[in-house]
Every structure is written in C-alpha cells, then in structure tokens.
Amino acid sequence: MKRHILVSEKNAAIAAIAKALDFPDWFGQNLDALYDSLSDLSWLPEGEYVLVVPANLDSSVSEVLRDAAKRTAESGDRKLRVIRTDR
C-alpha cells in the first residue's frame, strides 16, 4: 500500500501518517506513539507499506520514520518503506 503525506509540519504530519495507515484509536498523536505504531503495524495485513513524504518534512518526524523503517526491515512480515520527494 502506498500513501502520500503532503504536509511537512510536525503535528500535521503525525496526524496525516496516522490517517494514511489507519492507526488504532489508542494512538497518542506524539512522536513516541508514532514510532511505536510504525514499528508494530500488527493491525494491518501483511505486506509492505510505503509512505511518500515531502523532502522538507519535520526532522523529528523524519528521524522516527527512518528508525521505524529500519526496525521493520529487520523483522516481521509488515515492512515500512519511506520515500522522500520534492513534489
């Protein structure tokens, strides 16, 4: 599944990612909860999930995405891939 995130500001990006991946109701709308959710993805079917994010995405959100993608690549049957774009 491929989802485009069109916002770069931290809180808006967190909300957009949560919506794009249909995060559970318990999601906490902060960076720690974002990492926890992206590192798990157990509520989603098996497969690869691709987030296309703006190149100017908030650096703290980018760091969480990078770390979560690395973690899912190392284990599990649900993988997160992040693509940065200028568009």
Side-chain angles (χ1 to χ4, degrees):
M1 172 179 27
K2 187 174 190 178
R3 299 285 187 236
H4 292 261
I5 306 303
L6 303 175
V7 294
S8 57
E9 188 271 325
K10 180 176 137 182
N11 291 332
I14 290 172
I17 293 166
K19 183 177 179 181
L21 294 176
D22 196 27
F23 280 8
D25 293 337
W26 50 259
F27 177 65
Q29 295 290 334
N30 59 56
L31 290 173
D32 288 336
L34 180 64
Y35 177 78
D36 291 344
S37 296
L38 290 173
S39 297
D40 179 348
L41 300 176
S42 61
W43 68 93
L44 295 172
E46 293 180 8
E48 181 179 60
Y49 295 87
V50 179
L51 290 175
V52 180
V53 300
N56 65 341
L57 181 65
D58 177 87
S59 62
S60 61
V61 176
S62 290
E63 185 176 326
V64 166
L65 291 174
R66 183 187 67 238
D67 292 348
K70 181 179 177 185
R71 181 175 174 140
T72 64
E74 295 169 350
S75 64
D77 47 13
R78 292 160 184 88
K79 309 268 186 229
L80 174 67
R81 188 161 56 112
V82 180
I83 299 172
R84 297 174 64 96
T85 182
D86 289 328
R87 298 185 226 183

